[in-house]
Structures are given as C-alpha cells and as structure tokens.
Amino acid sequence: MRFGLIGLGGIGQVRKAAIEQSPACTLTAAFDINKDNAAQLDSGVQFFDSLEAMLNTDSCDAVVISTPTNFHCEQAIAALEAGKHVIVEKPMASSLEQCQQMLDAARRADKVLTVGFNHRYFEAVKDVRNAIQSGEIGKLSYIRAYTGHTGLSEFKSPWMYDKDVMGGGTLMDNGIHVLDLTQHLMGGVNNVSGVALTDIWKLGRSEDNGFALMRGKDGVAAILHSSWSEWKGYRFYVEAYGDKGMARAYYAPMMSTVITMDKPGGKPVKRRNFYLSAIFREKLKGWQSTVIQTFIEEIDDFVALTKGRGKTGCIATAEDGYRVTEIANAVYKSSETSETVAIKGST
Ligand SMILES: NC(=O)c1ccc[n+]([C@@H]2O[C@H](COP(=O)([O-])OP(=O)(O)OC[C@H]3O[C@@H](n4cnc5c(N)ncnc54)[C@H](O)[C@@H]3O)[C@@H](O)[C@H]2O)c1
C-alpha cells in the first residue's frame, strides 16, 4: 500500500521510519507546512506544497496524519473525501464533535479510519490482554492504571498543552493512551466520574493531573491516574485483577508480571517477563525503536482492514477513538459537577 505522511515532526519522523521498514507499504508522498522538513525525505518520496495538491493526485492510497491535534479533523475529512484510507494520531481530535464528524466522513466515503493507539501493541500489554482473554487470572474484577511524565519540560511547543488544540491536558496527552488501554482491556466503559486538577502547572483549562473512576461491562471497575508531575522520566502501568490472579504491564523498562492461584488467597504462581531485546534495543536506538515496532504491527492490521479482511490484531477503530475522547471529556464534566457521567459512544 502506498502511504502519504501529513506532518513530519517528532512523531511524523517515527511514522516515516515505520512506513519505510514495513513490508506492507511504501512511503510515496508527504506534506508538512514546514518545507524544510522535505530535506529528510528520500528522493522517491514526492513532497507537496499543500494538502490539497497531495490529495488531488494518485500519489498514495492511504495517509497517516501526525500534525497538531486541532488539524486532525479537517485533514482526515479531506483525505477520506479524496478516497484515501486514514490513520490519525492520538488524540483523534480536539473535541468529541470533531471525532463524530470524522467517523461520519469515513462511513460516507466507505474508507478505513483508525486511531494511533499504538500502546496496545506493547509486548507487555499483550501479555496482560492474553492473561485476561485466556481466563488465566479468572473473572476480571478491576483495572488500575497510571501514566506520568515530567510535564512542561517535556514539551517542545506550547500547543502541546493548549486545551484548544489538544482538547485537554494530561488526560488527552499521555493519559489518552492509558485510558484507551483500560477501556480496551475491560471491554468498554459505561460511566465515569473523575477529577481534573490544575494546581501544579497552573495552566487554567489544561489539567496537570486527571483521575478517572470507571464502571464497565459486568460491573468491572477501573481507576486511572494521568500525570504531568511524574518528576522523573516517563512511565505507565496497567494492572488487571481477577478472582484467580493479576497481570501487570509496566514501561519503561518494558516488563510484565502474571500472578495466578487456584482460588482467592490460594498459593500464588508468579511469572515475570523482562523484554530484554526491547530493553537493549532502546539502549542502543532509543524509545523510538519500540514505537516503530508497534507502528509496523499497527500498519499490518490497518492494511488488513483496507483489504476487507476484517479486524485483525488489536487496532483501534474510529469508534474506539471517539469513546476514549468521550471518557476524557466525561472526567472534565464530572470534575465540574461532581456527578457520574454516562458514556454513550458514537452514533
Ligand atoms: N502515538 C504516540 O505515542 C504519539 C506521540 C507523540 C505525539 N503524538 C501525536 O502526534 C501529533 C503530532 O505530534 P508531534 O509531537 O509530532 O508534534 P510536532 O510539533 O513535533 O510535529 C508536528 C508537525 O506538523 C507540522 N504541521 C503543523 N501544522 C500543520 C498543518 N496544518 N499541515 C501540515 N503540517 C503541519 C509541523 O511543521 C511539524 O513538522 C499530535 O496529535 C500528538 O498528540 C502521538
């Protein structure tokens, strides 16, 4: 499949490397408002001066959108209407209304639209998903999740913490990945209550810490904390607890733990996985090398969808992208009203 890349910044460069290394596709076209970024492209890739110019040609079959979040909606709709399949980076858009408009455009155009929730492809996360789906930890009861980084010192541009662009603060930034993992692992969320705090960075409408308490299918509960005040580095974990054990994914470094027992309180059997190849690869080639692996797997699932082979692997659909944005927005509403907010999903 021939891919066009819209946005050649920080994550766009990682997307570029993944497309180039993926056996399923070729990078054939690119657009970025900063023309200097064209210098990073191989000679076989056609760089366009405008999105319209790129979409008006037959230079690609699908696009990856890795621009600031407030451009996702208009660029995705333009690409879908031009007959391209679309992978859009997380978060799907700056508002829930925009997510719905993108979904409607994909349905009208009969093209595939997916959202870049690549954390689903982390090996440690797959271990947790397998432990739930195989019944290894028994009946799932609750999930506990955390994600944090150092906040403003992490950001290269002010739009990255501007609510008008990102749709929120930490919950729409690093939190959106772990909100997605949580709702994905627990099989959907029915209602949410939560708190959004702005005490540390004092950014007005962009929260620096967000807390969500969720209730899902069969009464499964989840609690999540997303932070911009993890004062050292970046990390996340997701822990799933059942009536016969627990499974935990941790990053970074990548590791997972599964503890099982025949009944609550029984003799525990512990299995720990250290993903040594990922750990050493990151030491040599940086965190981007792990993200590239996940993007390559995501592209495989995406291509399968565009070929009508149905949903393979764990790719996040546009409906997933909508639902996760809805959960983050529900925390904002609950924080203002102190009420529990129902999650309805897209129409
Ligand atoms: N999947 C992940 O783990 C992950 C990680 C980081 C960022 N992201 C997401 O990727 C997106 C981009 O983030 P980034 O960190 O690469 O930002 P960035 O600022 O490093 O790069 C953005 C690029 O888009 C270009 N650009 C800006 N406006 C444009 C427009 N209207 N049309 C075309 N190009 C435009 C800029 O020139 C720049 O090259 C955001 O939505 C962000 O949330 C995802």
Side-chain angles (χ1 to χ4, degrees), residues 181-315:
L181 292 182
T182 304
Q183 69 96 27
H184 171 62
L185 292 172
M186 69 194 278
V189 169
N190 295 339
N191 57 63
V192 178
S193 57
V195 174
L197 302 178
T198 56
D199 301 329
I200 291 177
W201 292 105
K202 299 183 175 41
L203 292 169
R205 296 185 308 135
S206 295
E207 79 286 356
D208 47 55
N209 279 274
F211 304 83
L213 177 62
M214 295 166 263
R215 211 67 206 274
K217 210 173 64 182
D218 302 328
V220 174
I223 188 157
L224 176 144
H225 173 200
S226 178
S227 178
W228 279 348
S229 55
E230 170 72 39
W231 297 125
K232 189 168 171 285
Y234 167 75
R235 69 188 179 107
F236 78 85
Y237 64 77
V238 184
E239 298 171 328
Y241 285 78
D243 58 4
K244 289 187 180 159
M246 65 85 76
R248 176 177 214 248
Y250 183 89
Y251 181 87
M254 179 104 66
M255 59 179 98
S256 60
T257 306
V258 179
I259 301 173
T260 52
M261 52 200 75
D262 58 355
K263 57 178 194 271
K267 188 169 181 288
V269 177
K270 199 178 211 181
R271 168 164 66 75
R272 295 193 87 179
N273 287 324
F274 296 96
Y275 298 88
L276 294 177
S277 60
I279 293 167
F280 286 123
R281 192 191 57 232
E282 288 199 7
K283 285 243 177 287
L284 291 172
K285 299 182 179 172
W287 58 267
Q288 293 88 345
S289 63
T290 293
V291 177
I292 290 171
Q293 298 297 320
T294 63
F295 283 168
I296 291 172
E297 283 189 53
E298 181 194 16
I299 286 169
D300 284 348
D301 287 346
F302 176 78
V303 171
L305 273 181
T306 67
K307 304 271 185 224
R309 293 204 288 268
K311 195 168 178 301
T312 59
C314 51
I315 195 157

Side-chain angles (χ1 to χ4, degrees), residues 9-11 32 37 67 69 72 75 89-90 118 156 159 177:
I11 211 69
D32 191 296
N37 285 333
T67 51
T69 307
H72 291 184
Q75 292 179 333
E89 262 304 343
K90 66 82 197 166
N118 60 303
K156 287 179 297 167
W159 67 259
H177 276 302

Side-chain angles (χ1 to χ4, degrees), residues 9-210:
I11 211 69
Q13 292 302 325
V14 186
R15 285 283 181 189
K16 171 178 169 287
I19 295 169
E20 285 169 349
Q21 290 176 37
S22 170
C25 60
T26 320
L27 183 63
T28 51
F31 164 60
D32 191 296
I33 45 162
N34 181 356
K35 294 185 177 51
D36 294 345
N37 285 333
Q40 299 151 13
L41 298 168
D42 291 345
S43 55
V45 184
Q46 200 176 350
F47 185 82
F48 291 88
D49 283 345
S50 71
L51 180 61
E52 201 186 8
M54 182 170 127
L55 296 178
N56 280 339
T57 66
D58 181 38
S59 57
C60 59
D61 311 302
V63 298
V64 178
I65 300 174
S66 48
T67 51
T69 307
N70 56 327
F71 297 112
H72 291 184
C73 179
E74 65 179 73
Q75 292 179 333
I77 292 174
L80 290 161
E81 287 178 349
K84 317 291 182 196
H85 301 290
V86 175
I87 299 176
V88 66
E89 262 304 343
K90 66 82 197 166
M92 182 171 173
S94 311
S95 71
L96 210 51
E97 293 70 29
Q98 290 178 353
C99 295
Q100 184 67 54
Q101 287 165 23
M102 294 159 78
L103 249 160
D104 292 342
R107 287 183 189 142
R108 268 197 316 273
D110 196 19
K111 294 288 161 194
V112 171
L113 170 65
T114 65
V115 182
F117 286 128
N118 60 303
H119 283 41
R120 292 182 178 202
Y121 295 89
F122 277 51
E123 292 300 326
V125 171
K126 287 184 193 169
D127 202 21
V128 173
R129 186 170 45 243
N130 289 340
I132 296 171
Q133 287 178 352
S134 66
E136 197 179 0
I137 59 165
K139 185 183 175 303
L140 182 64
S141 177
Y142 65 95
I143 287 181
R144 184 165 57 199
Y146 172 77
T147 173
H149 67 64
T150 54
L152 259 60
S153 53
E154 182 88 357
F155 296 122
K156 287 179 297 167
S157 312
W159 67 259
M160 295 174 174
Y161 48 89
D162 180 346
K163 186 168 170 113
D164 289 332
V165 177
M166 282 295 286
T170 180
L171 284 165
M172 289 294 278
D173 170 44
N174 50 322
I176 205 85
H177 276 302
V178 179
L179 273 179
D180 173 64
L181 292 182
T182 304
Q183 69 96 27
H184 171 62
L185 292 172
M186 69 194 278
V189 169
N190 295 339
N191 57 63
V192 178
S193 57
V195 174
L197 302 178
T198 56
D199 301 329
I200 291 177
W201 292 105
K202 299 183 175 41
L203 292 169
R205 296 185 308 135
S206 295
E207 79 286 356
D208 47 55
N209 279 274

